[in-house]
């Protein structure tokens, strides 16, 4: 009797341990699947490497050109992150300013929307005239394209404080600064951290576009020159590196968001 | 008799400039120290406006509002407020939410850091009074609606206000929770040295809790009648089923129905 009792849990225990967590594993499997389909598709269709290289050929290119790929990847990551960091500082500052009062919010919001409607690519030639080709226009393009979502999110978080919360605090003698520090800024943080995911993705768009048209380093420039040499596998290798950098930075931002504003997820979940 | 804690005389309050909504007009109300006053009236008649005038969140265009012997020209921090929506800050624990007013009120904010333990003890005592002992470390989303409203009351009381203003605080709660909280408020009023003004649309609530029920007219609001509630304290929930109690509720109901029809 007692022996069966002790054996049952032992027999049952390994089962869940062996069970594969398909949900956790599925991103990996789908990625492998994508590469397999790409490989098979490229081989079966018989398209030449100069049009659609197989993934094996692309990985070969990464291996073969590792030194320039590494150097240019670091350069692109550097310009992107620098532009992104400037966007965070400026975005927070401008966002706090715009969200400070409903009047400023009403007045500046349309201007911001208008500014955002300009395709930032069109600004690259101007930046080149001002700063020459190279790192500076890439950083600035990354900054210009990515700071808008940060501004909008921070400002919206501030401008939408519940009037009742404001009344309770004002009745206690709170100044505008008190209300901003105690309520406005903490409550805009989930908006702010949420916007970082969008902003970092856009920052890559900005830096690569600028590198492509006006630089002598970075993945954008490397891909442009590989393309003019008909080195299509290297172009695809550059794309792959961009994807890796983009995913890594996005994951980092998602992680930061979760760490910093866990309360927002939990409190909305219960409502 | 000592001068009243709140004295509102001939107040007109118009929102949104000269052509805006006239919310209250010719408003007169006195609240004595230690008194429990309930304000009832048709929806949109200016009850919340009355609250905001008393706390100095709005300054009237004409007439005078005097609280604790001084003319109200800016927010008066001897008041604690609680609304229907508990507005707890979700990133703070219940205890931190309750301590929030102390970070604002001039007389406490400079002492808070050095005397933290003393204030925390006070907050925990308040939590115990409203039946939330041990819930201080919980976040607001971990509390039920009724519990959040209890915590909200603690927040309104932490800086020991002389006047507690409650604007339909129990409107969003179910009947049983509401009756529990009536008892909490009743006991707070009995034990703490506080004057209470309660805005409500629940006439039974007003009669059960208040010393005096004032009825407002439809907008623009003014006081059309005042009724002293004759029932002895301490009142028990059984009172709700006594004929005299229901008679009074019915009389109030009739008055408000007439006031609404007049609009
Ligand atoms: N901030 C405001 N701006 C303009 N009108 C307002 C404002 N607050 C209240 N009112 C108007 O004043 C009247 C009285 O409002 P309120 O005091 O909130 O009524 P109650 O609390 O009795 O329902 C209503 O007609 C309302 O529309
Ligand atoms: Mg109201």
């Amino acid at each position: 009797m007692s022996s069966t009792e002790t054996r049952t849990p032992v027999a049952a225990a390994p089962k869940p341990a062996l069970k594969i967590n398909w949900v956790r594993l599925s991103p990996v499997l789908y990625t492998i699947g994508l590469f397999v389909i790409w490989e098979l598709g490229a081989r079966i269709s018989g398209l030449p490497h100069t049009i659609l290289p197989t993934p094996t050929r692309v990985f070969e290119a990464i291996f073969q050109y590792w030194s320039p790929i590494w150097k240019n990847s670091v350069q692109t990551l550097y310009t992107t992150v620098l532009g992104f960091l400037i966007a965070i500082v400026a975005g927070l500052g401008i966002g706090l300013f715009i969200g400070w009062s409903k009047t400023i919010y009403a007045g500046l919001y349309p201007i911001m929307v208008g500014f955002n409607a300009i395709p930032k690519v069109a600004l690259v030639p101007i930046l080149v005239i001002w700063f020459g080709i190279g790192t500076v226009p890439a950083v600035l393009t990354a900054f210009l394209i990515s700071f808008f979502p940060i501004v909008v999110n921070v400002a919206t978080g501030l401008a939408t404080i519940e009037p009742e919360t404001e009344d309770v605090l004002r009745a206690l003698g709170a100044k505008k600064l008190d209300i901003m520090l105690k309520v406005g800024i903490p409550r805009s943080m989930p908006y702010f951290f949420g916007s970082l995911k969008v902003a970092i993705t856009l920052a890559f768009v900005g830096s690569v576009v600028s590198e492509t048209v006006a630089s002598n380093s970075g993945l954008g420039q490397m891909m442009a020159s590989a393309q003019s040499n008909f080195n299509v596998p290297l172009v695809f290798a550059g794309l792959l590196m961009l994807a890796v950098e983009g995913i890594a930075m996005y994951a980092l931002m998602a992680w930061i968001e979760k760490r910093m504003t866990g309360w927002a997820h939990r409190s909305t979940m219960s409502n | 008799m000592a001068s009243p804690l709140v004295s509102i005389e001939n107040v007109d309050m118009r929102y949104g400039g000269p052509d805006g909504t006239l919310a209250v007009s010719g408003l007169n109300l006195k609240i004595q120290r230690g008194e429990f006053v309930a304000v009832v009236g048709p929806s949109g008649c200016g009850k919340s406006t009355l609250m905001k005038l008393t706390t100095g969140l709005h300054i009237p265009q004409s007439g005078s509002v005097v609280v604790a012997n001084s003319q109200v020209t800016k927010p008066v921090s001897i008041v604690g407020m609680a609304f229907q929506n508990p507005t707890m800050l979700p990133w703070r624990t219940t205890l931190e939410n309750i301590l929030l007013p102390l970070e604002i009120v001039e007389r406490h904010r400079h002492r808070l850091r050095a005397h933290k333990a003393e204030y925390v003890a006070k907050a925990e005592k308040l939590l115990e009074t409203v039946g939330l002992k041990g819930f201080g470390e919980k976040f607001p989303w971990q509390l039920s609606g009724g519990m959040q409203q209890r915590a909200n009351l603690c927040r309104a009381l932490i800086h020991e206000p002389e006047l507690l203003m409650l604007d339909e605080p129990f409107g969003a709660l179910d009947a049983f929770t509401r009756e529990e909280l009536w008892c909490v408020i009743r006991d707070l009023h009995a034990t703490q040295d506080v004057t209470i003004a309660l805005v409500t649309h629940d006439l039974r609530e007003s009669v059960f809790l208040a010393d005096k029920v004032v009825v407002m007219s439809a907008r623009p609001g003014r006081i059309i009648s005042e009724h002293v509630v004759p029932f002895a304290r301490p009142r028990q929930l059984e009172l709700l089923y006594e004929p005299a109690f229901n008679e009074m509720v019915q009389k109030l109901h009739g008055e408000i129905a007439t006031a609404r029809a007049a609009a």
Side-chain angles (χ1 to χ4, degrees), chain B residues 75-230:
Chain B
V76 278
S77 63
I78 63 154
V79 180
M81 292 181 97
F83 296 98
Q84 174 170 341
N85 175 359
T87 64
M88 293 271 132
L89 306 177
W91 56 90
R92 289 175 165 238
T93 63
T94 304
L95 189 76
E96 288 166 348
N97 264 293
I98 293 172
L99 293 176
L100 178 65
L102 303 176
E103 297 168 25
I104 305 285
V105 174
E106 226 17 82
R107 142 173 71 92
H108 294 291
R109 66 191 299 170
H110 307 293
R111 295 185 74 234
L112 184 60
R113 203 181 285 266
H115 300 79
K116 187 80 185 242
E118 172 194 321
Y119 285 116
V120 168
K122 195 162 123 193
E124 275 167 354
K125 191 144 164 288
L126 270 176
L127 278 170
E128 194 177 341
T129 320
V130 301
L132 278 184
K133 189 173 161 61
F135 283 92
E137 295 313 309
K138 294 257 188 288
F139 284 90
W141 74 81
Q142 297 170 308
L143 305 182
S144 68
M147 288 157 98
Q148 285 190 32
Q149 200 52 273
R150 286 166 198 251
N152 197 19
L153 288 175
C154 294
R155 185 178 62 181
L157 289 166
I158 187 73
H159 60 296
E160 293 179 355
E162 287 180 58
L163 178 62
L164 179 61
M165 309 223 80
L166 306 171
D167 193 346
E168 306 195 2
F170 313 130
L173 303 175
D174 66 273
F176 289 107
T177 312
R178 208 180 306 160
E179 287 180 8
E180 271 171 35
L181 281 166
W182 290 354
C183 295
V184 169
I185 292 280
R186 174 197 64 192
D187 298 341
L188 279 174
H189 182 242
T191 54
Q192 322 251 324
D193 186 19
V194 66
T195 308
I196 302 183
L198 166 74
V199 163
T200 179
H201 51 240
D202 185 338
L203 299 177
R204 287 162 15 107
E205 179 173 300
S206 71
V207 176
F208 178 70
L209 286 171
D211 298 315
K212 184 169 85 181
V213 178
V214 305
V215 181
M216 282 179 79
S217 69
R219 188 166 57 93
R222 62 192 166 76
I223 308 295
I224 48 175
S225 64
E226 299 194 359
H227 302 267
V228 174
V229 182

Side-chain angles (χ1 to χ4, degrees), chain A residues 76 79 121 124 128 133-134 137-138 141 204-228 235 239 242:
Chain A
T76 298
T79 53
V121 191
V124 177
V128 172
I133 65 163
T141 317
F204 274 107
V205 174
S207 58
V208 171
V209 161
S210 176
E211 283 169 1
T212 307
V213 297
S215 184
N216 34 35
S217 62
L219 286 173
Q221 186 272 338
M222 185 192 83
M223 287 161 68
S225 74
Q227 177 245 354
S228 58
V235 175
L239 274 183
L242 278 176

Side-chain angles (χ1 to χ4, degrees), chain B residues 43-49 51-52 83-84 167-168 199:
Chain B
S43 170
C45 71
K47 301 186 293 293
S48 299
T49 305
M51 291 285 174
K52 287 175 185 169
F83 296 98
Q84 174 170 341
D167 193 346
E168 306 195 2
V199 163

